[in-house]
Amino acid sequence: MASGDNLSAVMHGIEDLRMEQMPIPQPDKHDVLLAVHSVGICGSDVHYLVSGAIGPFVVKAPMVLGHESSGTVIAVGESVISLQIGDRVAVEPGVPCRMCVHCKIGRYNLCADVQFCATPPVHGTLTRYYSHPADFCYKLPDHVSYEEGALLEPLSVAVHACSRGDVRIGHKVLITGAGPIGLLSMQTAKACGAAEVIVLDVDEGRLKFASDYGADHVMNVRGKESQQIAEDVRQALSTDPDVAIECSGTESAIRTVIHSTKNGGVIVLVGCSPATVTVPLIDAAVKEIDFKTVFRYANRYPTALALVASGKVDVKPLVTHRFNLEEARQALNVARTGEGGAVKVVIKCSKQ
């Protein structure tokens, strides 16, 4: 059972992260109590700490950060039959109402009442112990590590992006942004059967990582205009890409994917862009490009787990830096600055 130590990384305001003891939660009848093991640092954790908000989600009260998580079941609610004490699980962080129209049709990521870890006002998982609904915890096979379990969260975003883009066998795919989501989208597109994937970024270190990670082509687009980039992409692929997955959130990248994507192709917007952007919509219109957006994911964790368990997607190389929970401030700073070539920073929350 849980000890009295429930050290947690609590955000009290902009640039104000404190390590505090929190009450150990008691699981409700449909919940399990987890000894949290691994938590990946997401860009949203950094964004909340730096800005205090992401779009309409504003931090107004102290909040525990973290949502990319795995752990061990140490107690179960009286109605839980799917899990037992000792099970190692990955945690899907968004729990919907289960009753609304969006939940009923399976798009529960759009539920207005979804409770998502570390999205105000819901506490996150950078803590020793966390209680979560059992049906949003996925048992890990013995050969899948805690770190891999935690990275099912960003992988689920990539799976959702490739599904929304309808990436198919033989497709040529463009990825803009070589951060964790872009890299995982690249690997997922390959797993979906994409014939070639090209990754664009402005950082040579990230592009080298993408090349080593399996990208067929990489391109540094620093200082280039979008039309020139589109021509360079066409030369690299010998055609225009069927699908573009935009993972950087920059206005320039949105212009680039519009100019690059083939007539009748699909653009998937994943990156968190500014509230207002100026883009050449007329060019998209005359090419009859389909725009798709991504908000988290729904029903993607089982697929993400299958991809990792089967070896179709390897998330392990993404973890470049590891910290203990007591070092959460340092971990968030490394994730923020990219110090030491950081790609994915993981915090170990367990004491063992």
Side-chain angles (χ1 to χ4, degrees):
M1 278 299 292
S3 70
D5 175 11
N6 193 26
L7 185 67
S8 307
V10 185
M11 175 188 166
H12 282 258
I14 294 175
E15 304 286 8
D16 184 4
L17 184 72
R18 308 178 196 178
M19 303 308 298
E20 298 178 344
Q21 291 291 336
M22 300 281 285
I24 296 175
Q26 296 301 309
D28 291 334
K29 65 179 182 177
H30 295 294
D31 297 352
V32 293
L33 180 62
L34 302 173
V36 181
H37 188 282
S38 296
V39 178
I41 298 301
C42 176
S44 65
D45 297 310
V46 174
H47 200 94
Y48 278 125
L49 189 60
V50 172
S51 303
I54 297 178
F57 304 106
V58 180
V59 179
K60 298 178 180 178
M63 181 182 78
V64 178
L65 294 176
H67 65 269
E68 301 177 0
S69 318
S70 64
T72 304
V73 176
I74 60 170
V76 299
E78 61 187 39
S79 298
V80 174
I81 60 174
S82 59
L83 296 170
Q84 58 187 0
I85 292 172
D87 284 344
R88 301 162 57 254
V89 298
V91 180
E92 181 174 353
V95 181
C97 77
R98 310 168 195 265
M99 300 297 291
C100 69
V101 170
H102 294 301
C103 288
K104 294 293 189 182
I105 65 173
R107 300 186 70 181
Y108 59 82
N109 57 318
L110 305 180
C111 171
D113 295 319
V114 66
Q115 302 289 296
F116 199 94
C117 298
T119 295
V122 182
H123 284 310
T125 56
L126 271 175
T127 182
R128 299 257 194 245
Y129 301 105
Y130 192 81
S131 182
H132 202 68
D135 59 328
F136 280 80
C137 295
Y138 298 84
K139 187 175 178 180
L140 298 175
D142 290 342
H143 68 285
V144 175
S145 70
Y146 284 109
E147 286 188 350
E148 291 172 295
L151 266 62
L152 294 185
E153 201 283 333
L155 179 56
S156 293
V157 176
V159 170
H160 196 51
C162 287
S163 177
R164 295 275 288 159
D166 196 22
V167 176
R168 300 182 185 182
I169 294 171
H171 271 174
K172 306 289 183 76
V173 178
L174 166 63
I175 309 283
T176 52
I181 299 298
L183 294 167
L184 288 170
S185 295
M186 179 267 291
Q187 282 235 335
T188 303
K190 301 280 279 187
C192 290
E196 292 180 75
V197 182
I198 184 169
V199 178
L200 312 185
D201 205 287
V202 297
D203 184 285
E204 280 295 339
R206 286 292 177 93
L207 290 170
K208 172 65 164 56
F209 192 101
S211 181
D212 293 342
Y213 198 46
D216 298 290
H217 312 275
V218 297
M219 186 182 300
N220 192 325
V221 295
R222 185 179 294 277
K224 294 184 179 181
E225 295 295 326
S226 57
Q227 290 95 334
Q228 180 59 56
I229 297 169
E231 179 58 33
D232 293 343
V233 168
R234 184 179 302 113
Q235 290 295 321
L237 297 176
S238 300
T239 186
D240 294 327
D242 301 278
V243 181
I245 302 177
E246 202 302 287
C247 300
S248 73
T250 63
E251 181 177 298
S252 60
I254 299 173
R255 290 197 297 269
T256 293
V257 295
I258 289 173
H259 286 130
S260 299
T261 305
K262 78 172 189 179
N263 292 5
V266 180
I267 291 173
V268 184
L269 300 177
V270 184
C272 187
S273 65
T276 303
V277 295
T278 301
V279 296
L281 275 183
I282 187 61
D283 293 317
V286 299
K287 295 168 74 174
E288 203 169 81
I289 289 172
D290 289 342
F291 282 90
K292 300 288 185 73
T293 60
V294 163
F295 182 63
R296 299 168 180 159
Y297 41 77
N299 299 303
R300 304 304 183 192
Y301 254 71
T303 302
L305 178 54
L307 287 171
V308 169
S310 66
K312 296 291 194 301
V313 170
D314 184 7
V315 299
K316 295 188 294 294
L318 292 183
V319 182
T320 54
H321 292 70
R322 297 172 175 86
F323 295 88
N324 293 322
L325 181 57
E326 293 85 350
E327 303 170 304
R329 292 188 191 89
Q330 182 183 353
L332 281 154
N333 189 59
V334 169
R336 174 181 179 177
T337 63
E339 176 186 330
V343 177
K344 175 58 69 174
V345 176
V346 171
I347 295 177
K348 181 182 177 183
C349 293
S350 64
K351 300 179 83 172
Q352 294 78 26

